[in-house]
């Protein structure tokens, strides 16, 4: 499970709904996107989305979808990906336009989801 937080958190509900809607257009992610239960927030006070990602392919689709969503944003926002084991990664609008940065984030997400594999399939 990976949680996604959108920063800055203004207006967070709109950004979260937009990102959730965008992610649900991906067949690989559609059924795994969920809002945080009411009253539950992350350590930084945001209400993150939860995305079920359990293999390298889904991790790649997730990062590519986030980058696509960011490229279409007008405001400067950052999406933080986090796993319960403490792994985190951030991607912002500028990074989303840099394919080398997106590729590095995909590789990091794949390693986080499938540490025993350690690299892209």
């Amino acid at each position: 499970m990976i949680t996604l937080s959108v920063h800055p958190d203004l207006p967070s509900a709109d950004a979260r709904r937009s990102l959730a809607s965008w992610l649900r257009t991906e067949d690989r992610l559609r059924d795994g996107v969920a809002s945080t239960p009411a009253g539950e927030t992350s350590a930084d006070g945001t209400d993150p989305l939860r995305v079920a990602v359990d293999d390298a392919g889904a991790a790649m689709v997730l990062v590519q979808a986030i980058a696509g969503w960011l490229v279409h944003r007008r405001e400067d926002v950052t999406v933080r990906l986090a796993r319960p084991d403490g792994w985190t990664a951030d991607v912002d609008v500028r990074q989303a336009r840099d394919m080398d940065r997106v590729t590095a984030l995909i590789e990091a997400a794949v390693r986080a989801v499938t540490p025993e594999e350690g690299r892209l399939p």
Side-chain angles (χ1 to χ4, degrees), residues 84-108:
D85 62 7
W87 175 85
T88 63
D90 292 343
V91 61
D92 63 25
V93 172
R94 291 175 307 284
Q95 293 168 336
R97 292 185 174 109
D98 180 343
M99 278 314 296
D100 291 337
R101 301 284 299 262
V102 172
T103 299
L105 181 57
I106 288 170
E107 290 173 351

Side-chain angles (χ1 to χ4, degrees), residues 40-56:
E40 190 176 316
T41 60
S42 67
D44 60 7
T46 60
D47 296 321
L49 290 172
R50 294 180 183 203
V51 183
V53 176
D54 56 0
D55 63 32

Side-chain angles (χ1 to χ4, degrees), residues 17-74:
R17 275 193 296 272
S18 173
L19 179 55
S21 178
W22 185 276
L23 295 176
R24 286 185 182 114
T25 65
E26 296 290 341
D27 291 338
R28 215 54 210 265
L29 304 174
R30 182 173 295 124
D31 296 331
V33 178
S35 295
T36 307
E40 190 176 316
T41 60
S42 67
D44 60 7
T46 60
D47 296 321
L49 290 172
R50 294 180 183 203
V51 183
V53 176
D54 56 0
D55 63 32
M60 289 176 12
V61 170
L62 175 62
V63 173
Q64 289 170 335
I66 292 168
W69 180 78
L70 283 168
V71 166
H72 289 89
R73 303 300 295 178
R74 288 192 176 137

